[in-house]
Amino acid sequence: SLLKGNREAEFKDGNRGMNLQRLYESIGLHEGTREKPYPDSKNLWTVGRGTCLETNPITGAQWKYLLDNHLISVALTEDGMDYLVSAKVKEVIHALEHGIANWLAINDQRQNCLVEMGYQVAGYGCLSFPKMKAAVERGDWKEAAKQGRDSKWAKVDSPNRAREMMSVLETGEWT
């Protein structure tokens, strides 16, 4: 049934007297029900009861709700994981190339460190830390590392990773 437990209240509030149970049943009847993604009549990936993953993707909040309540299971192959990492890394590199004035002059070790930080930290890492970004653009690696260490990311979120990354950023050498 589409109306289970506490969700029943959601369907009664603000519906102006609509019979939402009838509506959801009709949608289910016409859309069909598929637990796994499938190409729909337009060859677009769709799941559930007509949720098109390409034109109306599941939001972050919806993913969280589904995962928190064990309403969805997701599995990725190694190739799938590699694809997602590669896509994110390309996105971060593009942002850093356009966001850091001296990006091309920075050595490989430091670029790797900044990309990895940007992979993990919202706002592409140092681009969201103005003092750190300014130090990177000046080539003041000691100050850039200090700014990285003086962040929630380094103190709370990922202290071990941050310690390693900031060491590489400061020295310009792999640890």
Side-chain angles (χ1 to χ4, degrees):
S1 170
L2 293 167
L3 301 177
K4 288 185 180 176
N6 294 335
R7 290 190 290 160
E8 189 168 341
E10 295 176 28
F11 302 116
K12 290 181 179 176
D13 295 339
N15 65 25
R16 299 184 185 168
M18 289 177 62
N19 183 337
L20 291 179
Q21 182 167 349
R22 170 76 176 87
L23 172 63
Y24 294 131
E25 287 171 359
S26 180
I27 289 170
L29 177 69
H30 293 108
E31 291 286 346
T33 300
R34 304 250 190 120
E35 292 179 357
K36 295 183 178 179
Y38 64 94
D40 70 6
S41 61
K42 295 178 184 172
N43 208 30
L44 298 172
W45 285 104
T46 303
V47 70
R49 293 184 178 97
T51 300
C52 181
L53 298 171
E54 295 184 59
T55 62
N56 188 28
I58 299 170
T59 66
Q62 290 168 332
W63 273 107
K64 180 170 177 25
Y65 180 86
L66 293 169
L67 291 165
D68 286 350
N69 292 283
H70 309 285
L71 301 173
I72 193 171
S73 63
V74 179
L76 287 171
T77 64
E78 283 290 324
D79 286 346
M81 289 180 241
D82 290 346
Y83 168 78
L84 291 176
V85 169
S86 176
K88 178 68 175 185
V89 164
K90 287 176 186 173
E91 178 185 323
V92 172
I93 289 171
H94 179 78
L96 294 174
E97 284 175 338
H98 291 85
I100 297 176
N102 60 330
W103 178 254
L104 295 176
I106 299 172
N107 76 7
D108 181 60
Q109 294 86 336
R110 288 181 170 125
Q111 282 186 349
N112 272 264
C113 171
L114 293 168
V115 171
E116 186 167 343
M117 183 184 183
Y119 182 89
Q120 184 186 14
V121 178
Y124 305 115
C126 78
L127 295 184
S128 63
F129 300 168
K131 292 179 182 176
M132 183 180 187
K133 178 182 179 279
V136 166
E137 289 181 330
R138 288 192 313 271
D140 184 348
W141 302 111
K142 185 173 182 164
E143 180 63 20
K146 178 183 174 217
Q147 291 301 321
R149 289 181 186 110
D150 189 30
S151 68
K152 180 179 170 283
W153 168 69
K155 293 177 180 177
V156 177
D157 299 338
S158 300
N160 293 334
R161 185 179 195 175
R163 188 172 21 265
E164 182 182 334
M165 294 293 96
M166 293 304 95
S167 176
V168 172
L169 187 65
E170 187 169 351
T171 66
E173 298 176 8
W174 301 118
T175 54

